[in-house]
Each structure stands twice: as structure tokens, then as C-alpha cells.
Amino acid sequence: QVQLVESGGGLVQAGGSLRLSCAASGRTFSSYAMGWFRQAPGKEREFVAGISWSGGNTVYEDSVKGRFTISRDNGKNTVYLQMNSLKSEDTAVYYCAADYGLGYPTRQKTDFGSWGQGTQVTVSS
């Protein structure tokens, strides 16, 4: 397993931007596909974005396409989520996750074996 720590959340006005970071421990970070999920109060945790081990393949949930960008820096053991044009409905706790070593991006929570503690994103309208 890999240990994950998110940062970069906060309060932002609608239309603004935030960049989330997720720092991973372990020497094998580059072998994992990574994902970002979010959970709003009273709702299930949902997929937001995923990226392959190399960074060459990405997938997004439809509502964030064109606004969010996932990227990774394997030299820094870090994955990022750049969030632009934020909306009130983006308010949630955001979690990063590492898969079980499959390496390709996936939307399924059950494909991820390591999770961070989450970081709160609040978008005011």
C-alpha cells in the first residue's frame, strides 16, 4: 500500500480555481494509477478523475470535463487536480486514491486500495 496526503482545499467563490495536491509515500508510486473522488454531505463518494501510471491516459466524470485537469509528477510522488470554473455543486470532500497496481485509469472505487484522509473544497455562490 501507499500512504496518501491531500492538500490544497479551501473556500473559493464560484468561478474561481483551486489546485489540489496528493503526496504519496513509497518508491513504487509510478506503478499506480491514481484517482480523485469526492463526497458531498449525504451523498455517496463519486469518481472525479483518473490518470494512468505514466500520466499518458486520463478519464473524467462528465460534469468536470473541460474544467478539471488531473496530472502527476512521478519524480515528486505527487498527483494534482487543477479545478477551474468552480461551481457550488463542486463542494465536497475530495479524496485521492491509488489503485491496486493495475496502472490504467479506472472509475471504480473498488479498484483503489489506498485512500487519503480528504481535503474540503467549499465553493460559495
Side-chain angles (χ1 to χ4, degrees):
Q1 284 191 337
V2 61
Q3 305 299 314
L4 304 171
V5 179
E6 302 98 333
S7 61
L11 174 63
V12 63
Q13 288 188 333
S17 298
L18 281 174
R19 187 176 83 153
L20 306 183
S21 299
C22 174
S25 64
R27 296 174 295 174
T28 59
F29 172 76
S30 60
S31 65
Y32 294 96
M34 299 295 295
W36 285 96
F37 290 76
R38 64 187 180 187
Q39 188 166 17
K43 295 188 177 181
E44 290 191 1
R45 192 171 299 188
E46 66 174 2
F47 172 80
V48 175
I51 190 166
S52 63
W53 67 273
S54 67
N57 293 293
T58 57
V59 293
Y60 296 93
E61 193 268 330
D62 286 347
S63 69
V64 307
K65 282 181 181 178
R67 299 190 298 123
F68 290 11
T69 302
I70 188 171
S71 61
R72 67 189 297 160
D73 184 337
N74 287 343
K76 295 182 178 180
N77 280 14
T78 303
V79 63
Y80 305 97
L81 185 68
Q82 178 66 45
M83 306 186 294
N84 299 328
S85 302
L86 283 161
K87 305 176 181 179
S88 57
E89 51 263 46
D90 295 319
T91 295
V93 177
Y94 283 71
Y95 300 88
C96 72
D99 77 348
Y100 283 107
L102 299 175
Y104 56 84
T106 172
R107 301 170 182 265
Q108 302 301 319
K109 290 191 293 288
T110 53
D111 289 336
F112 291 86
S114 300
W115 295 82
Q117 83 290 347
T119 185
Q120 176 70 47
V121 172
T122 303
V123 184
S124 63
S125 56

